[in-house]
Amino acid sequence: MDNIRRSADRGFADHGWLKSFHTFSFADYFDPKHMEFGPLRVINEDRVEAGAGFGTHAHRDMEIISYVLEGELAHKDSMGNGSTIRPGDVQRMSAGSGVRHSEFNPSPSNTVHFLQIWIQPSARNIEPSYEEKRFDADEKRGRLRLIVSPDRADGSLLIHQDAKVYAGLFDGDERADFSVEPGRLIYVHVARGTLNANDSRLSTGDALQVTNGSRLRIEQGRQAEVLVFDLPGEAH
């Protein structure tokens, strides 16, 4: 069974320096029908104005993935990590037993546009850790490139959950077919552009939930960038 969640149905918050769309209940946005999807807890589409950012704050027992679409995002954390990620870079932080970090737009003039993703871990109170990696556009062109996994398969980043995240770029005749294993949940999030997912036309910010299907087909993209989550568990 496939369910569509349109971009306009998401929560939205305008803090001036930050404009954020919330796929799932987050902060002041609460929707009991959209709390999580399996262990996928947060997809926030954030735009942070130049020179602004999230001050130092704490997390624990969460796998946090940052995926930049435009601009630059500077990260610092209590583990001693500090770096700036750009489009093509993927960052993963396991909060585990507790970590403090900040995220900041270092540009004096440009907005940073990125997705912040939270996935609940399979074990609590693990040692915090951090890593990042670049996945060039040609690795994602016309295919679903594995970027996060529980076993670092194909050079992906490590996540402490039986979940996989794929990223793809699709235009024109490019197409990808993905087999869905029994008992798995699939969540498709269109980061930008338009495409067909299982014959449903999706646009920027739209999502498709596959809860009982055996396949996923991505095709007919127009300057599309998409993330696909392969998840354990039951939909909520």
Side-chain angles (χ1 to χ4, degrees):
M1 181 178 179
D2 294 354
N3 296 309
I4 296 175
R5 180 97 190 279
R6 294 298 181 187
S7 174
D9 296 332
R10 297 178 295 173
F12 178 69
D14 185 347
H15 300 285
W17 63 273
L18 165 69
K19 294 177 176 59
S20 183
F21 287 96
H22 306 315
T23 292
F24 303 104
S25 294
F26 187 88
D28 292 334
Y29 167 61
F30 176 74
D31 184 343
K33 294 181 180 179
H34 298 284
M35 295 296 296
E36 58 192 21
F37 187 71
L40 179 58
R41 179 62 188 85
V42 167
I43 302 178
N44 286 349
E45 180 185 355
D46 291 341
R47 288 177 171 85
V48 177
E49 289 189 350
F54 302 90
T56 302
H57 57 284
H59 293 282
R60 65 175 299 137
D61 292 324
M62 195 64 69
E63 304 290 296
I64 301 172
I65 300 163
S66 297
Y67 189 98
V68 177
L69 296 166
E70 293 178 292
E72 300 178 325
L73 184 68
H75 165 97
K76 291 183 179 180
D77 63 47
S78 55
M79 295 177 282
N81 300 298
S83 67
T84 301
I85 60 173
R86 300 169 177 85
D89 296 331
V90 182
Q91 178 190 91
R92 186 272 303 167
M93 185 177 73
S94 297
S97 59
V99 67
R100 295 177 61 82
H101 80 139
S102 63
E103 294 165 298
F104 186 75
N105 180 359
S107 172
S109 57
N110 298 321
T111 297
V112 61
H113 179 199
F114 71 103
L115 300 176
Q116 183 162 120
I117 298 154
W118 295 6
I119 296 177
Q120 299 172 76
S122 57
R124 299 176 64 85
N125 211 39
I126 64 174
E127 182 179 355
S129 61
Y130 172 93
E131 62 180 331
E132 64 181 64
K133 185 171 182 177
R134 182 166 188 80
F135 297 90
D136 290 329
D138 59 358
E139 297 184 67
K140 298 176 282 188
R141 171 57 55 196
R143 63 187 289 253
L144 293 175
R145 171 56 160 105
L146 183 65
I147 59 172
V148 175
S149 75
D151 56 7
R152 298 190 188 278
D154 297 330
S156 56
L157 300 177
L158 179 70
I159 193 173
H160 298 90
Q161 176 57 269
D162 180 20
K164 296 180 180 179
V165 185
Y166 299 81
L169 301 170
F170 293 91
D171 212 9
D173 294 333
E174 295 169 339
R175 186 178 77 184
D177 287 294
F178 184 87
S179 295
V180 182
E181 298 297 324
R184 302 290 289 184
L185 304 174
I186 301 297
Y187 196 92
V188 179
H189 178 86
V190 180
R192 55 185 156 198
T194 60
L195 52 75
N196 277 15
N198 283 0
D199 300 321
S200 294
R201 194 66 179 170
L202 304 178
S203 300
T204 303
D206 290 348
L208 180 74
Q209 300 174 350
V210 182
T211 55
N212 268 320
S214 60
R215 62 104 185 182
L216 170 68
R217 173 169 289 182
I218 303 291
E219 60 187 343
Q220 298 181 33
R222 290 188 179 180
Q223 299 181 336
E225 185 162 7
V226 64
L227 294 180
V228 174
F229 299 83
D230 180 0
L231 305 160
E234 296 180 356
H236 296 284

